[in-house]
Each structure stands twice: as structure tokens, then as C-alpha cells.
């Protein structure tokens, strides 16, 4: 390993093939971080690596795995080489909403996917990475929560439950990591225009686009900038949580949309 490599900080970002995770990878690379980027779509990871290398000459390790599968998580992250085990920052970002129905009509496959990804996946990754941070004597874990982790809206019970769980886990993690000097931050965005709604509505692009009609939603880069700000606070400072919404969104219930006339 060369000197430059040893001096650079290393971040592991889950769900870097799209949206907030990808924007965070691009921003951290611009700031000189080395990156482990993960997601299920290997082809996208390959393209991201090329982009990061070309734009910032970043050291990048791509790992394609499904966070829902504990065996895949441990075989991918538990076997990192010495050069990549020194993780300074873990961004637990991989997650999704699937479906939007009342509970009596919900699709249990969607429920399993949200619970397994947003809660269990985050736990599996943290269970594997936190001991590495403890061994090194510090680090920072940033969890992607949501305004849905504070408020519950109609048709969103299961997604909101998973983000309430991320809130509880973040609080517990902060306590458990306290003696190890590991910082824990929860970022809770409102509306961010990414592939999130396309995934939620199973590829219905018209329904997904309607979510953002008349609103200047947050961009993935807005959230990446927020992650970077929390990470760049002086070492004695821990940012516990940040709620960030578009100016046109007060909370999960109130959005002031611009009326678009034909
Ligand atoms: P995107 O759909 O654009 O990105 C989601 C990312 O998660 C993708 O990279 C996807 O990768 C990854 N992912 C999903 N499931 C899995 C899995 N089983 N294993 C590994 N990776 C997975 O959405 P966002 O960027 O908007 O979402 C990122 C996070 O931010 C999520 O946790 C979401 O809940 C949260 N959030 C989003 C908001 C929004 O309005 N967009 C608001 C508040 C919070 P791949 O498909 O390649 O596996
Ligand atoms: C995503 C934001 O309002 O769709 O977590 O739940 S919302």
C-alpha cells in the first residue's frame, strides 16, 4: 500500500448504485475518500467505479451483494483484505419502499422486502463492520432514516415502521458504540427525487413522477452534502440526527405544491 493510500479515509456505502448512495460516493470521492461501494446491480457498480476513477482517481472496491442475505453480507464484508478493513465511515443507505396500500390489501412480499432490507440488512452490515471499527478505535456510522421514521402516513404503515426501527436502532447504536468512540448519525430526509418512487410503485413511472409534481424536491446531492457535513464535524462532536425536507414540505402530511396549469 502506498503512503497516499494509508492517509486517505475509507468509506463503505451500501446502496451506491443509485440515488443518495451514488451521490454520496461521488461527493466523498471528490473530497479524497477511498470507497467501498455496494449494491445488488454489479453492472452499475462497475460503471460507478469507472466514473469515480476517471473523475477523482479514487481507490474503489465494488462489492455486489444483497444486504438481506446475511451469508452474502458476511462473505463480502467479513473477508475484506487488510487494505480495505480500515473503514472510517459506514453509510447504511441501502433501502426501499415497496407498494403503497392499506394494510388489509398490502402485499406481504413487499413487506418482507422492506423489513429485510431496511432493518435486517442494516443490522447485518453493522454487525460485520462495527467490530472492525472497534478494533481500530473509532469510526462513524451514518444511517439513512426518514421523516417516515417520525410520522406515519396512510398506506405507508410498513415502510414507516421500518424507518421507526432505523430510528430506534440508531439510538441504541449510539449508546452501544459510546465507549468505542464511534459516532452515530441518523439522517432523516423528506422527499428526495431518486429512483425511490419508481421502486415503490414497481416501475410505474407516471405514478412515480406524480409524487414530485409541483415540488422542488431534495436532490440526492443535497443529502450527500448533509452526510459530508455531519462527517466533517470536529472529532469531539456527534450529530445525532438531522431532519431535512424540501422548502415546500413541512412534514409527511403537508406539502405546498405549485399548481401547474396546462
Ligand atoms: P434509490 O432507489 O435511488 O436507491 C436505493 C439503493 O438501495 C440502490 O442503490 C439499491 O441498489 C439499494 N438497495 C435496495 N435494496 C437492496 C438490497 N436488498 N441489497 C443491497 N442494496 C439494496 O433510493 P434512494 O437513494 O432515495 O434511497 C436511499 C435510502 O434513503 C433508502 O434507505 C431510503 O429509504 C432513504 N430515503 C429516501 C427518501 C426519498 O424520498 N428518496 C427519503 C427518505 C429516506 P440495488 O438495487 O443495486 O441493490
Ligand atoms: C421517504 C420519504 O415521505 O415517502 O422516506 O416516506 S416518504
Amino acid at each position: 500500500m502506498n503512503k497516499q493510500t494509508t492517509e486517505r479515509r475509507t468509506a463503505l456505502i451500501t446502496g451506491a448504485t443509485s440515488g443518495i448512495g451514488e451521490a454520496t460516493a461521488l461527493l466523498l470521492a471528490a473530497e479524497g475518500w477511498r470507497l467501498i461501494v455496494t449494491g445488488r446491480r454489479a453492472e452499475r457498480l462497475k460503471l460507478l467505479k469507472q466514473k469515480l476513477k476517471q473523475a477523482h482517481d479514487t481507490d474503489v472496491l465494488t462489492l455486489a451483494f444483497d444486504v438481506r442475505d446475511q451469508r452474502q453480507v458476511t462473505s463480502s464484508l467479513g473477508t475484506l483484505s487488510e487494505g480495505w478493513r480500515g473503514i472510517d465511515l459506514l453509510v447504511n443507505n441501502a433501502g426501499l419502499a415497496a407498494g403503497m396500500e392499506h394494510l388489509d390489501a398490502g402485499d406481504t412480499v413487499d413487506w418482507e422486502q422492506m423489513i429485510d432490507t431496511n432493518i435486517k440488512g442494516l443490522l447485518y452490515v453493522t454487525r460485520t463492520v462495527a467490530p472492525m471499527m472497534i478494533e481500530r478505535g473509532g469510526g462513524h456510522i451514518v444511517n439513512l432514516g426518514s421523516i417516515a421514521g417520525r410520522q406515519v402516513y396512510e398506506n405507508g404503515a410498513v415502510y414507516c415502521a421500518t424507518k421507526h426501527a432505523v430510528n430506534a436502532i440508531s439510538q441504541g447504536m449510539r449508546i452501544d458504540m459510546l465507549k468505542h468512540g464511534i459516532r452515530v448519525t441518523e439522517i432523516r430526509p423528506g422527499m428526495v427525487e431518486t429512483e425511490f418512487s419508481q421502486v415503490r410503485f414497481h416501475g410505474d413511472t407516471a405514478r412515480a413522477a406524480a409524487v414530485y409534481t409541483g415540488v422542488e424536491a431534495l436532490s440526492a446531492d443535497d443529502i450527500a452534502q448533509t452526510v459530508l457535513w455531519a462527517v466533517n464535524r470536529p472529532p469531539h462532536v456527534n450529530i445525532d440526527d438531522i431532519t431535512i425536507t424540501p422548502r415546500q414540505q413541512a412534514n409527511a402530511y403537508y406539502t405546498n405544491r405549485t399548481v401547474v396549469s396546462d
Side-chain angles (χ1 to χ4, degrees):
M1 214 185 324
N2 63 33
K3 187 163 181 293
Q4 191 187 31
T5 304
T6 54
E7 283 171 0
R8 286 186 169 195
R9 289 183 292 174
T10 303
L12 162 59
I13 304 167
T14 65
T17 55
S18 167
I20 294 168
E22 183 179 22
T24 305
L26 289 165
L27 185 61
L28 291 177
E31 295 286 315
W33 288 68
R34 307 167 73 228
L35 295 172
I36 304 171
V37 286
T38 81
R40 289 165 301 179
R41 289 169 288 183
E43 191 53 36
R44 287 217 187 178
L45 290 174
K46 198 171 140 194
L47 292 174
L48 177 62
K49 180 173 180 167
Q50 283 168 4
K51 205 157 118 179
L52 291 165
K53 280 243 166 232
Q54 277 163 11
H56 307 293
D57 194 25
T58 318
D59 274 346
V60 184
L61 176 65
T62 61
L63 294 173
F65 64 87
D66 189 324
V67 296
R68 291 172 295 177
D69 183 333
Q70 192 180 7
R71 269 190 298 191
Q72 286 187 37
V73 173
T74 47
S75 67
S76 304
L77 298 176
T79 57
L80 288 173
S81 66
E82 268 311 304
W84 285 105
R85 284 177 68 84
I87 296 167
D88 301 284
L89 169 65
L90 164 62
V91 184
N92 273 320
N93 165 76
L96 80 163
M100 219 180 169
E101 294 93 14
H102 281 183
L103 276 174
D104 53 287
D107 181 340
T108 56
V109 174
D110 285 344
W111 295 356
E112 307 275 3
Q113 194 180 3
M114 289 187 277
I115 292 165
D116 289 352
T117 309
N118 300 357
I119 306 175
K120 291 163 74 178
L122 182 150
L123 287 170
Y124 295 153
V125 171
T126 306
R127 177 66 185 85
T128 311
V129 174
M132 299 179 204
M133 289 183 167
I134 291 170
E135 204 179 301
R136 299 179 70 237
H140 195 156
I141 301 175
V142 174
N143 296 326
L144 259 295
S146 168
I147 56 167
R150 267 206 171 146
Q151 294 167 313
V152 178
Y153 49 84
E154 188 175 5
N155 294 313
V158 178
Y159 177 68
C160 293
T162 67
K163 290 300 179 179
H164 275 68
V166 171
N167 174 247
I169 291 165
S170 300
Q171 292 183 55
M173 203 183 275
R174 198 170 299 117
I175 298 164
D176 294 349
M177 295 299 121
L178 187 60
K179 70 174 178 186
H180 302 295
I182 295 171
R183 304 195 285 181
V184 179
T185 300
E186 182 192 1
I187 312 270
R188 298 166 160 181
M191 236 181 256
V192 189
E193 196 162 356
T194 60
E195 293 178 13
F196 178 85
S197 293
Q198 285 173 44
V199 172
R200 171 172 246 171
F201 298 124
H202 303 296
D204 182 338
T205 47
R207 201 171 168 201
V211 171
Y212 309 107
T213 301
V215 180
E216 186 174 352
L218 298 170
S219 68
D221 185 61
D222 290 325
I223 307 307
Q225 296 282 355
T226 307
V227 172
L228 183 68
W229 179 81
V231 168
N232 278 345
R233 291 313 86 214
H236 68 285
V237 175
N238 188 83
I239 302 299
D240 290 6
D241 48 63
I242 299 173
T243 300
I244 170 170
T245 59
R247 183 169 50 83
Q248 289 173 269
Q249 183 181 32
N251 57 30
Y253 309 121
Y254 291 95
T255 303
N256 180 31
R257 293 179 193 270
T258 308
V259 179
V260 185
S261 53
D262 299 327

